[in-house]
Amino acid sequence: VVWAYLHPMHSCTAPHAPKLRTPLKGPGIPSRQSVWAHSRQLSAPAAFKFFQQLLPRQRSTLSDEQKQKRDRLLEILSSGRSSEALPEVSTLVDILAGTGLPFQEQRLGGGPWEVRYTKGTPQLWRATFAVGRLANDQNSASQDLDPASRTVINRAEYYAGGLWMSAAGTYTPMVEGAGPTTMPVPVRADIQGAKLYLWGAELDLPFVRGSGFFEVMYLDDELRIFRSGSSIAVQVKVSALKRRRAL
């Protein structure tokens, strides 16, 4: 079995505020003169908020249509349907991966999260799944990230748990500043060792170590999509899987 892991603003007076070089035109857009006149009465933080209102707003939640796509994807992944669902799953994954919602790191926790679908050969789970296959009853892979400590544990099970492997390390989201960040967000992961469990026997694998990067393409409380190079891995929170299967 081979485990591969290459996977405060200051106040200012109006004369210091920037002038608009080109007029803002269009329905609902105030004139250059009215924007400048209004901004002269504001402190820097208030002026910043005022100008933000003139820009297109970033969506912070899914649209109704996107929610339907997300629910459909969870339905398929929770049921473990056979290969005839793969084309639909691939399309749904691409739609959600392109939503560009705000990244909320705390949502990475609450695991473990089980890998339910892969496209390509994700480095973390290459030994567990064939290309583009849904998870099956014999083999599974999961990941547990703790946002408080920024630690990560990857686990792969074979032959219904008779043989399994875990690899532990840390992760670091590569974000700039303290403001809101939209996905995709690159994340660096550093694996520092692994263990192999073979029908009760435990074997240390200290040579399984290294660093790699992946991107968080989509993330909510039940579903997440990671990309590594051209490969995709879709994970569902285990507690959500159990709840949906009990319905």
Side-chain angles (χ1 to χ4, degrees):
V1 178
V2 178
W3 179 272
Y5 188 97
L6 292 179
H7 171 291
M9 296 183 68
H10 302 281
S11 295
C12 66
T13 56
H16 299 289
K19 294 185 179 181
L20 299 176
R21 294 187 177 181
T22 57
L24 296 173
K25 298 181 180 180
I29 300 297
S31 68
R32 174 176 178 173
Q33 291 77 14
S34 64
V35 169
W36 175 246
H38 184 68
S39 67
R40 292 180 63 186
Q41 306 170 21
L42 303 175
S43 64
F48 179 74
K49 292 185 65 176
F50 171 71
F51 282 110
Q52 271 193 320
Q53 295 172 3
L54 303 180
L55 301 174
R57 293 191 177 185
Q58 180 70 39
R59 178 180 291 275
S60 60
T61 59
L62 295 176
S63 66
D64 290 340
E65 182 179 358
Q66 289 170 337
K67 288 179 181 177
Q68 293 177 358
K69 303 294 186 183
R70 178 252 188 202
D71 291 343
R72 174 58 177 163
L73 179 58
L74 274 172
E75 177 188 352
I76 298 174
L77 298 181
S78 300
S79 63
R81 295 188 179 182
S82 55
S83 58
E84 65 266 15
L86 288 176
E88 182 182 4
V89 170
S90 181
T91 298
L92 295 172
V93 168
D94 289 343
I95 291 173
L96 291 178
T99 52
L101 296 182
F103 172 66
Q104 297 175 291
E105 185 182 351
Q106 69 273 16
R107 285 183 160 179
L108 289 172
W113 295 64
E114 185 174 304
V115 182
R116 298 300 302 166
Y117 170 79
T118 62
K119 181 166 63 174
T121 54
Q123 295 167 340
L124 287 178
W125 305 283
R126 183 177 299 164
T128 307
F129 300 108
V131 175
R133 298 290 182 88
L134 290 168
N136 55 64
D137 293 333
Q138 292 297 311
N139 301 332
S140 66
S142 63
Q143 189 175 56
D144 200 349
L145 288 83
D146 180 10
S149 61
R150 287 190 169 173
T151 55
V152 56
I153 297 177
N154 300 313
R155 174 168 170 152
E157 296 186 6
Y158 309 86
Y159 310 111
L163 182 155
W164 59 280
M165 179 184 292
S166 68
T170 59
Y171 77 91
T172 306
M174 311 301 288
V175 297
E176 296 181 1
T181 301
T182 55
M183 295 179 279
V185 169
V187 177
R188 175 189 171 104
D190 297 282
I191 295 301
Q192 299 155 357
K195 292 180 181 292
L196 177 65
Y197 301 85
L198 180 61
W199 286 279
E202 179 181 320
L203 178 64
D204 284 327
L205 304 175
F207 54 86
V208 178
R209 58 175 60 244
S211 301
F213 291 85
F214 64 92
E215 292 178 286
V216 181
M217 307 299 296
Y218 177 84
L219 174 65
D220 64 33
D221 292 329
E222 296 183 302
L223 177 73
R224 64 193 189 192
I225 302 172
F226 291 169
R227 180 174 67 187
S228 177
S230 60
S231 303
I232 294 288
V234 183
Q235 305 178 17
V236 180
K237 188 181 290 186
V238 171
S239 60
L241 281 174
K242 292 179 178 179
R243 182 173 62 253
R244 286 177 172 272
R245 288 168 177 171
L247 297 177

